[in-house]
Amino acid sequence: MKCILIICDGMGDRPCKQYPKTPLETANTPAFDQLAKKGICGIMDPISPGIRPGSDTAHLAIFGYDPYKYYKGRGAFEALGAGIEVNNGDVTLRANFATINPEDIILDRRAGRKIPEGDEFAKLINNLSLNSATEVKITFIHTVEHRCVLKLEGPNLSHNVSDMDPDVINVKVQPCKPLDNSPEAKRTAEILNEFYAKTKEILSQSPLNEKRQQNGLLPVNGILLRGAGIIPDLQTLDEKYHIRAAAICGAPLYRGVAKVVGMTPIYVPEATGRVDTNTLAKGQAALDHLASNDLIFIHIKGTDNASHDGNYEQKVMMIEKIDAMVQLLLDNLLLEETLIVLTADHADPICVRDHTADPVPIVMVGENCVLSDDVDVFSERACAKGGLGRIHGLDVIPIIMDLMDKTKKFGA
Ligand code: ZN
Ligand code: ZN
């Protein structure tokens, strides 16, 4: 038995005055409903009831790793997902190219988002040497749009430092502070503060910005840092269950989480991590790689993007695009041989525009191994009546592994 695990980011929703039906209830989803009809449905608290998950902590939990124990900041996931090597002791951070004024007030957290010169800007900063820590090697790379990753490599570093990105505009960049009393945290905060000051100077003087301004674009003159992280020390899925797992993700963060738990990334050029992604190309890639893997994780980000934008129609459209991918899978694989699991990493209701703690729907389908129930529609409300009941994110992989016959008996 093999498994395709599909996680649709932020797909869960809740009704509101303007939209009495959730996007899942409105969308035309014949393939999702077929899964519900054939499989066992339920609802899932990604972390725990009442806990609003981040995408990183939610994915860790759904992959079977207690985030309270294994979550060590988002930075390492971002870096790994961007293709940077991260070793024990390295501290990595998510970075944004931003536009600030001379008083360090943030004017645009993403410097207009359109940064075709991103790689050239990053080159000015990569390998920078700092007075506060000459022995620390700095790696700085640009990924997509305004997004970058910073890696600090050297002795006595800590990820226990505060974010410099306040997440809003028209306020000052926050100075980095140590979050514990260790000399490592104090030193790392000093390094990051110097990094900020020095890079601000380098970027402001760059002729690349003159060109940007001539083209009516905002200058890239500051770097906002957040999510300092280290690589968590854990047993991979292969070590725990002796399975070969692979991941198809457009967005680097998810590829990073998948890598940490031992999944091999499968790169699909048409997977963008946005609403314009090609879900059929992702489904086809899963089919193409199923023979050489036991489990394939497919991540779809667009549902969460539409949710943060409060765009109901776009979320419905994204759900229908994922439904088409599920149809492709159903048309091309045998449910006697492959389990399909469909869920979300958390709710992101249109009316809230952010992650909430609502449980999300989940369905597991496989012939001759799953005890199906009477649910025949895949939605938040319908799945609440299903045979899986209400489970935790941490339960998902153990249930899948049991259905795939990969677990050992507990007791005699
Ligand atoms: Zn998410
Ligand atoms: Zn989100």
Side-chain angles (χ1 to χ4, degrees):
M1 203 79 190
K2 293 173 182 285
C3 175
I4 296 181
L5 168 63
I6 306 161
I7 302 183
C8 309
D9 211 290
M11 182 168 67
D13 216 294
R14 55 163 92 137
C16 61
K17 207 167 175 191
Q18 196 184 354
Y19 301 109
K21 279 183 176 182
T22 68
L24 258 180
E25 288 170 332
T26 297
N28 180 29
T29 54
F32 282 15
D33 297 344
Q34 218 180 313
L35 294 183
K37 239 170 253 164
K38 290 186 173 161
I40 186 167
C41 296
I43 52 174
M44 178 204 23
D45 295 292
I47 295 176
S48 228
I51 304 295
R52 292 175 53 212
S55 287
D56 43 13
T57 48
H59 275 78
L60 265 186
I62 296 169
F63 294 152
Y65 300 87
D66 183 351
Y68 290 108
K69 186 168 169 200
Y70 293 105
Y71 184 62
K72 306 281 181 205
R74 111 181 231 167
F77 302 140
E78 291 271 4
L80 282 167
I84 295 182
E85 197 186 306
V86 186
N87 295 305
N88 285 337
D90 297 349
V91 171
T92 44
L93 295 102
R94 167 63 201 273
N96 270 21
F97 280 136
T99 306
I100 54 171
N101 79 2
E103 284 75 49
D104 294 315
I105 307 269
I106 302 164
L107 304 176
D108 190 311
R109 285 183 58 247
R110 303 179 180 91
R113 222 186 247 279
K114 226 174 105 186
I115 309 175
E117 322 82 349
D119 290 349
E120 291 167 78
F121 278 119
K123 266 192 207 133
L124 301 174
I125 294 160
N126 192 27
N127 286 321
L128 183 77
S129 71
L130 297 176
N131 300 329
S132 53
T134 44
E135 73 286 19
V136 170
K137 181 175 164 21
I138 292 195
T139 307
F140 187 86
I141 66 147
H142 167 246
T143 60
V144 276
E145 297 182 317
H146 55 283
R147 300 180 188 92
C148 304
V149 175
L150 168 65
K151 177 171 87 166
L152 305 178
E153 205 179 333
N156 308 321
L157 297 168
S158 165
H159 72 293
N160 224 357
V161 293
S162 67
D163 290 348
M164 301 181 78
D165 179 358
D167 207 25
V168 284
I169 56 164
N170 296 326
V171 298
K172 267 192 154 186
V173 177
Q174 308 290 304
C176 185
K177 293 191 188 110
L179 295 176
D180 62 35
N181 292 325
S182 68
E184 289 83 6
K186 187 167 170 264
R187 173 179 133 91
T188 307
E190 276 166 19
I191 291 172
L192 294 175
N193 285 324
E194 192 195 337
F195 175 87
Y196 172 76
K198 213 159 182 180
T199 54
K200 182 174 103 175
E201 218 180 284
I202 293 170
L203 292 172
S204 318
Q205 290 163 1
S206 164
L208 291 168
N209 273 322
E210 271 165 50
K211 256 203 232 149
R212 277 180 69 82
Q213 263 154 329
Q214 280 163 15
N215 295 330
L217 297 169
L218 289 168
V220 172
N221 56 9
I223 293 173
L224 301 178
L225 298 169
R226 63 187 153 114
I230 54 169
I231 208 153
D233 182 19
L234 47 74
Q235 255 195 319
T236 62
L237 289 173
D238 178 27
E239 285 161 351
K240 275 166 90 170
Y241 299 107
H242 307 292
I243 57 159
R244 193 188 276 257
I248 300 171
C249 318
L253 175 71
Y254 307 91
R255 206 179 300 134
V257 183
K259 272 189 183 175
V260 164
V261 302
M263 297 183 187
T264 308
I266 296 169
Y267 291 89
V268 178
E270 299 94 329
T272 60
R274 298 187 301 260
V275 289
D276 63 358
T277 197
N278 185 341
T279 54
L280 293 179
K282 294 173 103 163
Q284 190 56 51
L287 290 168
D288 294 344
H289 290 82
L290 199 54
S292 50
N293 287 284
D294 299 299
L295 183 141
I296 295 187
F297 156 56
I298 305 179
H299 179 261
I300 312 274
K301 182 69 183 160
T303 32
D304 194 55
N305 296 2
S307 304
H308 284 292
D309 290 344
N311 192 334
Y312 189 90
E313 288 72 27
Q314 199 173 58
K315 190 165 180 179
V316 169
M317 179 276 289
M318 249 339 279
I319 290 171
E320 292 178 350
K321 265 170 72 164
I322 304 167
D323 188 77
M325 179 187 84
V326 170
Q327 191 62 57
L328 178 80
L329 298 178
L330 285 172
D331 290 342
N332 290 283
L333 51 76
L334 293 171
L335 291 173
E336 297 105 83
E337 292 168 4
T338 306
L339 193 69
I340 299 180
V341 178
L342 171 70
T343 189
D345 63 337
H346 50 74
D348 192 336
I350 289 292
C351 56
V352 181
R353 293 186 174 206
D354 204 351
H355 307 182
T356 61
D358 304 67
V360 294
I362 180 165
V363 60
M364 299 184 176
V365 193
E367 252 158 58
N368 307 323
C369 68
V370 167
L371 183 66
S372 66
D373 53 31
D374 293 334
V375 178
D376 53 9
V377 169
F378 185 78
S379 73
E380 297 85 349
R381 269 182 272 232
C383 285
K385 298 181 199 127
L388 268 179
R390 184 166 181 162
I391 60 172
H392 283 97
L394 276 178
D395 300 326
V396 174
I397 284 288
I399 296 174
I400 292 175
M401 289 304 131
D402 178 55
L403 294 173
M404 288 170 69
D405 204 13
K406 299 279 182 195
T407 52
K408 282 198 195 89
K409 196 191 296 180
F410 173 51

